[in-house]
Amino acid sequence: MNKIRVGVSVNNDKIEFLCSPEDTVLDVLRDNLRLTGTKEGCGTGDCGACSIILDDKLVCSCLVLAGEVEGSEISTIEGMAIDGKLHPLQQNFLKHAALQCGICTPGILIAAKALLERNPDPTETEVRYWLAGNLCRCTGYDKIIRAVMDAAAEMRS
Amino acid sequence: MCSKKDEMKKKFRVVGTRPIRPDGIEKVTGQALYGADLHAPNMLVGKMLRINEPHAIIKSINISKAQKLPGVKAIITFQDFMEVSTNKTNDILENCLANKKVLYDGHAVAAVAAINSEIAKKALDLIDIELEMLPFVVDVDTAMQKGSPVVQLGRKHENVSDDFSDNVTSFCSFGHGILEDGYKNAAKVIERSFKTPSVHQGYIEPHACLASMTADGRSDLWCCTQGQYNVRAICADIMGIEESKLRVTASEIGGGFGGKTTVFIEPIALALSLKAGHPVKIVMTREEVFKATGPTVSSSIDIKMGMSKLGIITAAHAVIRYEGGAFPNETYELGAQSAFAAYDLKAVKSEGYNVLTNRPAQAAYRAPGAPQAIFAVESAVDELCEQLNLDPLETRLKNAAKKGTKASYGPTFDEIGLIATLESAKKHPHYAAPLAQNQGRGISCGFWFNFGGNTCVSLNINFDGTVGIIEGNPDIGGSRASISQMAAEELGIPLERIRTVIADTNSLGHNDVTDGSRVTFSVGLATIKAAKAAKKEMCKRVAKLWKIHEDAVIWKDGYVLPAGPNAGDQEPLSLKEIAAMSAQTGGPIAGHHEVNAEGAGVSFGVHLVDVEVDPETGQTKILRYTVFQDAGKAVHPSYVEGQMQGGSVQGIGWALNEEYIYDSSGKLQNSGFLDYRIPVASDLPMIEPVILEIPNPGHPYGVRGVGETSIVPPLAAICNAVSRATNIRFTELPLSPPKVLSAILGKE
Amino acid sequence: MVKVKIWGSLVEATGFEYVNVEGTNFIELLENLQLKYPGLRPQIQRGVSLAIDGKIYKESWFTPIRKDSEVVLMPFMIGG
Ligand code: FES
Ligand code: FES
């Protein structure tokens, strides 16, 4: 089998991996690098559980081929807390009970972080539309939206 | 005497607060391990071969080519399994892997384990299957008719009429009073037929497991499930081993809602592992989840209901037909029993049928069977109110079940919270808020039984005064938090000193599945009793130390103290101090409790919703949504609210968008989240929860199950709102834009 | 004797909506019901619950039943 050698930075660590041409970034993160915090809910770009940030862009890692990310910078949920200190979004998700089962949480946190980096003061509607690609079946979104709004307010102050 | 009621009103210190959940940090940092997150050395990948035909005889399966593919380690079919002990287990196995017939689109016929997924997929392509196609049936009403294709023969119960096809497996009926008299006294009688689609639980985590089984039968299974003990019982039966040989560990679970109360892949992974001599991991794709795990039943329901001028329901009759796929199930009974539970009726009858079709076997989904039946009943009530010009909330109050009401399913209700819930909805500003054009307000009651069940809890007092709790129910939405809270309350110690872990099947006695909204109620009950046992032991030790009788010491707020002046004036000893003396006073201190908990107490809810229907597109927008529900006592109010909000939104999806769509060749057309559309954040407003606390006399803290009731009212609440907004009575879900639009155009 | 309410579709097996049987707890009652009304046997074998004074018991053989208890036979329930 023809494996491809790829060098990337994941959460600021330089790493190399070998992958098959059909492997997605999600496959590599989960199976090769054992970074299982990024979840697979569908594998077809419809649920957002696999959200990562790839060179400053929010993407579904299940839709990106691993062989094509040479030289890029990837951030995943595992890199969100810095030196053991939780990001304000993570803190607010806990405070607001914005997770029940928690399977959607890594993807939603990554997506919300990408939003707040672009728009530090989003309206409720903006948050709802930004997160429309991230499915959560447990919460009905109410507490998630509140947690994101509160985290945004906290980060602004 | 301090009565039970007084104890219920007692002030709580920890119960009722909103601490951060103990498993929270792992879950916001990606460290928590879910079903698919475990890797084992030497692990193989397992995949299933599924047939995309609704109904066919399996003439032959030829695996010889696939077997020769390098990297393939094991292939199994139904023939690799021995006979199992019961019909129920056999149904489960045949649903995992087809025996003589393919029974639905997506039914598996073989499974492969290989060194990687590429090879496993290739091997699946190399398996030759010879099929003989059969006529099929996917619609419930068609399947009942004589002459319709029969899915399975010989499943009919003794009490089912011969007027139906053999697909009708079971029948039940409930009720009391004489319907005809009631209809005579009515000012208005209506007869309506309703349909609801089958919908999927839609948990975001697909089923996943990792199994290893050795030739002597010793085996380990890691999987995402709502009940590891149930998985063990089923798998041990299927694999022909004693339960003690199989250890099942429940991973963190990414949603279940009833859908993870049975098995779909676990026995397959065990059998592959046994054959290959390696651990085997199976992870379902989303398409497999939709096609081959259990959605809920679809329904066809007739209602006849009479109402007096003053709004009293004089008689009500429901005929409920549920289709739950290719295997028999009991959901029809729950539907027939819950249909009229909210009302105090003189004459009532509900009849239920279960029907086989060429669809995947249904699985439980949050209050299984209740949403469909109650949708039909609440729609009829609403239409009668409209026709008789009556206020829909007042009318429900007039008919509401209360203490002393003879429930339509038989027993007489004790304390229940429906009237209080309705009163609270009536007082809420939502009910009086103005509505604009094209807007409508809907209301519906909801009901669920709630379960107790088999439960074990072990509580260990560590030497440093911290406490370890071992329980056996997967934490599906914050139960570690609520259980720790109840223990902290009972022991009088800070919450931080308690750690609750979820046991594998071999570390604690049997626990029923996390279902029926039972965990906070039953595990909480057992935890409180285990804490009481530990307290008793601590009192005993201190009494010995103080050389006084056991009865002369009491426990108060985390301390043992002399019962009164006669007992002495010793300084109170804290739990921490007593724990430190464990070794010297008789050894480790622990409490445990095992029970088959009863007295869960039924639950009622009322939902209010405002919608706006766009007459140009037929699109329904939810403008405002308020949920009123009795929680008994909300242990962690945030998670109670979360259950109310989450269940409501699942119900909103059911009402507006979600449905299994089969084409004319019996194949499922929408087996992905793109076409099976569950609600997303931008579809919704905030969901306002209003928690009522009417203590449940069956629980020491008054706790009542809260998980399921919230999915029941949205179907009718939304349908009633849309009907009022458009002046068209809808009777079929989902209210998708094309359906609503064509009704609007039809009216014009 | 305890008065037991039978649900609608089982009345065919007993002939009556209410039947009287001996029994001081859950299991005695079920045993005597089957003895007196063999037609109930298939359903009782498939599983039943009992509502005793308004509370639903799924199993619990030793749950006491008084002569004046309200007893209702119900199907065995499974949940979500
Ligand atoms: S797994 Fe990538 S979007 Fe669902
Ligand atoms: S918390 Fe379970 S899917 Fe979002």
Side-chain angles (χ1 to χ4, degrees):
Chain A
M1 243 176 305
N2 287 333
K3 293 269 184 188
I4 310 168
R5 175 186 293 269
V6 181
V8 289
S9 124
V10 177
N11 302 326
N12 295 325
D13 292 328
K14 291 246 167 298
I15 51 155
E16 282 193 345
F17 58 80
L18 287 177
C19 68
S20 305
E22 63 269 30
D23 284 345
T24 64
V25 171
L26 179 62
D27 295 332
V28 167
L29 286 172
R30 291 184 51 85
D31 297 336
N32 300 23
L33 308 178
R34 304 281 156 100
L35 290 171
T36 54
T38 306
K39 305 299 180 193
E40 174 160 359
C42 68
T44 50
D46 301 314
C47 78
C50 64
S51 301
I52 58 164
I53 297 186
L54 177 72
D55 294 332
D56 292 328
K57 274 216 300 287
L58 175 67
V59 298
C60 291
S61 61
C62 70
L63 294 182
V64 183
L65 288 175
E68 294 176 357
V69 295
E70 171 65 39
S72 55
E73 280 178 26
I74 291 172
S75 354
T76 71
I77 187 66
E78 285 90 349
M80 195 157 170
I82 311 268
D83 299 330
K85 193 172 170 342
L86 296 183
H87 188 278
L89 276 164
Q90 292 171 309
Q91 282 167 3
N92 274 284
F93 267 57
L94 292 178
K95 191 173 116 201
H96 285 272
L99 53 144
Q100 280 174 35
C101 79
I103 195 88
C104 66
T105 311
I108 292 187
L109 284 168
I110 289 288
K113 186 169 167 241
L115 167 67
L116 299 189
E117 276 161 12
R118 281 162 187 73
N119 178 358
D121 192 7
T123 62
E124 182 191 326
T125 308
E126 284 170 334
V127 177
R128 286 188 179 275
Y129 277 90
W130 182 270
L131 292 180
N134 289 83
L135 302 180
C136 172
R137 192 57 156 172
C138 299
T139 63
Y141 304 101
D142 185 302
K143 293 186 189 303
I144 292 174
I145 306 299
R146 288 176 202 277
V148 174
M149 303 286 287
D150 270 19
E154 211 177 291
M155 286 163 72
R156 286 195 304 272
S157 62
Chain B
M1 195 186 99
C2 158
S3 78
K4 217 167 174 181
K5 273 227 163 111
D6 292 337
E7 198 193 351
M8 301 251 157
K9 281 199 203 120
K10 80 174 175 192
K11 278 241 170 305
F12 290 104
R13 192 175 48 85
V14 192
V15 163
T17 63
R18 302 175 186 241
I20 300 239
R21 66 195 276 172
D23 52 338
I25 294 184
E26 286 146 72
K27 287 181 177 163
V28 296
T29 55
Q31 291 174 60
L33 294 176
Y34 291 82
D37 294 343
L38 208 62
H39 294 80
N42 234 346
M43 177 179 96
L44 303 176
V45 175
K47 293 222 176 281
M48 325 256 302
L49 178 62
R50 297 185 182 279
I51 302 296
N52 293 323
E53 292 295 339
H55 201 189
I57 296 171
I58 303 169
K59 305 284 271 188
S60 68
I61 303 178
N62 187 343
I63 59 169
S64 55
K65 266 186 277 167
Q67 239 165 354
K68 286 191 200 111
L69 186 70
V72 171
K73 301 287 179 183
I75 301 179
I76 57 163
T77 66
F78 188 87
Q79 308 317 321
D80 286 271
F81 292 89
M82 54 200 111
E83 213 160 294
V84 297
S85 65
T86 63
N87 240 343
K88 266 240 125 53
T89 315
N90 191 65
D91 281 353
I92 293 172
L93 176 58
E94 276 203 46
N95 187 39
C96 293
L97 215 47
N99 180 7
K100 297 193 170 81
K101 283 207 296 184
V102 171
L103 294 169
Y104 54 87
D105 172 22
H107 204 170
V109 294
V112 170
I115 52 171
N116 62 41
S117 67
E118 258 176 272
I119 295 177
K121 276 186 215 153
K122 261 191 209 135
L124 294 184
D125 290 340
L126 292 174
I127 298 175
D128 282 326
I129 311 278
E130 201 190 330
L131 298 173
E132 180 190 324
M133 302 309 169
L134 295 171
F136 64 90
V137 60
V138 290
D139 172 69
V140 60
D141 291 321
T142 319
M144 289 180 86
Q145 285 162 18
K146 275 238 153 153
S148 136
V150 172
V151 180
Q152 285 198 54
L153 270 172
R155 304 309 295 262
K156 205 171 198 161
H157 287 169
E158 67 289 343
N159 64 353
V160 177
S161 151
D162 284 331
D163 297 344
F164 299 118
S165 82
D166 280 357
N167 292 321
V168 182
T169 61
S170 5
F171 167 70
C172 65
S173 87
F174 301 90
H176 54 252
I178 298 162
L179 292 174
E180 284 318 313
D181 293 354
Y183 293 132
K184 264 184 236 147
N185 295 332
K188 185 100 211 166
V189 177
I190 59 169
E191 285 181 72
R192 295 286 176 270
S193 297
F194 299 88
K195 278 210 152 196
T196 66
S198 68
V199 295
H200 197 273
Q201 297 81 356
Y203 33 79
I204 306 300
E205 178 196 34
H207 296 260
C209 70
L210 172 58
S212 75
M213 181 163 185
T214 53
D216 65 0
R218 261 173 226 281
S219 26
D220 266 290
L221 179 62
W222 158 275
C223 59
C224 55
T225 175
Q226 288 175 246
Q228 61 271 44
Y229 296 88
N230 188 43
V231 170
R232 179 176 70 171
I234 297 168
C235 291
D237 190 5
I238 290 176
M239 300 307 295
I241 54 174
E242 296 100 350
E243 289 196 10
S244 62
K245 286 203 169 150
L246 172 57
R247 179 175 63 169
V248 182
T249 308
S251 69
E252 294 304 326
I253 174 170
F257 317 111
K260 290 179 181 164
T261 53
T262 180
V263 303
F264 300 102
I265 49 174
E266 291 79 357
I268 310 301
L270 282 166
L272 284 170
S273 167
L274 177 65
K275 203 161 178 181
H278 291 247
V280 173
K281 178 167 166 178
I282 300 183
V283 180
M284 273 192 170
T285 63
R286 177 56 53 182
E287 186 183 2
E288 286 182 288
V289 172
F290 274 114
K291 283 194 160 178
T293 68
T296 181
V297 299
S298 71
S299 77
S300 155
I301 300 171
D302 298 335
I303 302 282
K304 182 173 179 187
M305 191 182 280
M307 194 179 269
S308 74
K309 245 209 229 100
L310 293 175
I312 303 296
I313 303 172
T314 55
H317 183 196
V319 181
I320 290 164
R321 297 170 288 262
Y322 283 178
E323 158 287 316
F327 299 90
N329 65 83
E330 286 79 36
T331 306
Y332 71 106
E333 292 176 341
L334 296 165
Q337 291 178 94
S338 50
F340 296 107
Y343 297 115
D344 188 344
L345 302 173
K346 276 220 183 64
V348 56
K349 185 172 184 182
S350 57
E351 296 168 276
Y353 294 93
N354 179 63
V355 185
L356 301 179
T357 59
N358 293 109
R359 293 187 183 215
Q362 68 101 46
Y365 181 21
R366 217 167 189 156
Q372 299 91 333
I374 291 177
F375 158 66
V377 170
E378 289 291 311
S379 298
V381 171
D382 204 68
E383 186 180 344
L384 281 167
C385 290
E386 213 175 21
Q387 293 201 14
L388 293 167
N389 226 340
L390 296 163
D391 179 277
L393 210 162
E394 289 292 352
T395 307
R396 283 174 170 85
L397 263 169
K398 268 187 205 156
N399 292 286
K402 50 193 166 294
K403 185 175 175 164
T405 293
K406 191 170 154 53
S408 54
Y409 58 89
T412 305
F413 283 128
D414 194 358
E415 295 286 354
I416 52 171
L418 177 58
I419 297 238
T421 315
L422 281 163
E423 294 281 4
S424 134
K426 197 172 128 186
K427 277 193 285 220
H428 195 279
H430 184 165
Y431 197 59
L435 288 169
Q437 215 199 345
N438 297 324
Q439 297 183 350
R441 176 164 300 140
I443 178 175
S444 173
C445 298
F447 162 85
W448 183 240
F449 292 102
N450 287 345
F451 298 161
N454 292 294
T455 309
C456 294
V457 168
S458 229
L459 182 148
N460 296 302
I461 312 283
N462 302 323
F463 285 4
D464 68 351
T466 59
V467 172
I469 295 173
I470 306 167
E471 53 114 340
N473 281 95
D475 183 346
I476 204 156
S479 58
R480 283 186 188 91
S482 59
I483 287 155
S484 303
Q485 280 176 277
M486 285 184 265
E489 188 73 53
E490 194 59 39
L491 292 170
I493 60 172
L495 187 65
E496 303 70 53
R497 283 210 220 139
I498 297 175
R499 173 148 193 210
T500 298
V501 300
I502 292 151
D504 63 60
T505 51
N506 293 32
S507 308
L508 187 70
H510 179 93
N511 282 272
D512 284 350
V513 172
T514 297
D515 74 356
S517 304
R518 69 172 222 94
V519 170
T520 307
F521 170 76
S522 310
V523 181
L525 181 89
T527 301
I528 293 166
K529 295 257 172 91
K532 285 193 197 291
K535 279 176 7 184
K536 191 156 186 247
E537 177 63 22
M538 286 186 270
C539 286
K540 203 165 98 191
R541 304 249 177 131
V542 173
K544 256 195 185 159
L545 198 66
W546 288 344
K547 301 198 180 69
I548 55 179
H549 193 266
E550 237 178 274
D551 295 341
V553 302
I554 54 163
W555 181 279
K556 197 163 182 285
D557 302 334
Y559 286 83
V560 174
L561 42 152
N566 293 342
D569 56 358
Q570 293 87 343
E571 277 295 303
L573 282 173
S574 69
L575 182 146
K576 193 169 175 172
E577 289 166 309
I578 304 166
M581 297 184 286
S582 298
Q584 294 76 27
T585 57
I589 299 167
H592 60 101
H593 193 74
E594 296 76 30
V595 65
N596 187 355
E598 307 277 11
V602 296
S603 155
F604 289 92
V606 172
H607 291 198
L608 270 184
V609 59
D610 294 354
V611 303
E612 180 166 313
V613 180
D614 183 340
E616 309 281 303
T617 61
Q619 179 100 32
T620 299
K621 189 170 170 50
I622 309 278
L623 303 172
R624 184 170 184 180
Y625 205 103
T626 315
V627 185
F628 305 84
Q629 195 178 316
D630 171 17
K633 173 77 204 166
V635 178
H636 191 308
S638 298
Y639 289 104
V640 172
E641 290 165 3
Q643 290 297 321
M644 291 160 69
Q645 294 165 332
S648 301
V649 169
Q650 285 184 320
I652 291 172
W654 199 337
L656 291 180
N657 285 309
E658 296 178 34
E659 65 179 317
Y660 265 45
I661 302 171
Y662 283 88
D663 66 11
S664 57
S665 61
K667 291 174 194 169
L668 184 63
Q669 287 304 289
N670 56 339
S671 53
F673 279 136
L674 188 62
D675 300 315
Y676 183 96
R677 199 173 173 287
I678 73 171
V680 302
S682 53
D683 295 339
L684 299 160
M686 292 295 184
I687 308 289
E688 186 186 342
V690 180
I691 302 177
L692 281 86
E693 294 192 318
I694 299 153
N696 171 15
H699 186 280
Y701 295 169
V703 171
R704 213 179 271 281
V706 294
E708 290 169 284
T709 308
S710 54
I711 200 174
V712 179
L715 284 63
I718 290 169
C719 191
N720 291 337
V722 171
S723 298
R724 284 170 184 266
T726 56
N727 270 318
I728 303 167
R729 274 284 149 189
F730 289 89
T731 53
E732 211 173 292
L733 298 183
L735 298 167
S736 51
K739 197 181 284 169
V740 174
L741 185 62
S742 82
I744 293 173
L745 295 177
K747 193 180 71 168
E748 287 165 0
Chain C
M1 291 284 225
V2 181
K3 190 165 112 180
V4 182
K5 181 177 160 49
I6 306 297
W7 79 81
S9 40
L10 285 185
V11 169
E12 218 165 276
T14 57
F16 305 97
E17 190 187 343
Y18 290 91
V19 298
N20 289 306
V21 286
E22 295 290 346
T24 60
N25 64 26
F26 187 113
I27 183 67
E28 284 176 23
L29 203 84
L30 286 193
E31 277 168 359
N32 292 334
L33 271 174
Q34 294 182 74
L35 282 177
K36 205 160 162 186
Y37 302 101
L40 290 178
R41 193 177 294 269
Q43 180 62 46
I44 291 180
Q45 301 295 328
R46 280 197 290 270
V48 289
S49 313
L50 282 183
I52 304 170
D53 295 321
K55 254 195 205 177
I56 300 168
Y57 295 83
K58 295 216 295 181
E59 301 169 291
S60 320
W61 285 355
F62 309 130
T63 308
I65 296 176
R66 284 173 293 113
K67 290 214 177 329
D68 60 345
S69 291
E70 181 207 53
V71 181
V72 181
L73 197 66
M74 292 175 63
F76 190 79
M77 293 198 281
I78 39 147

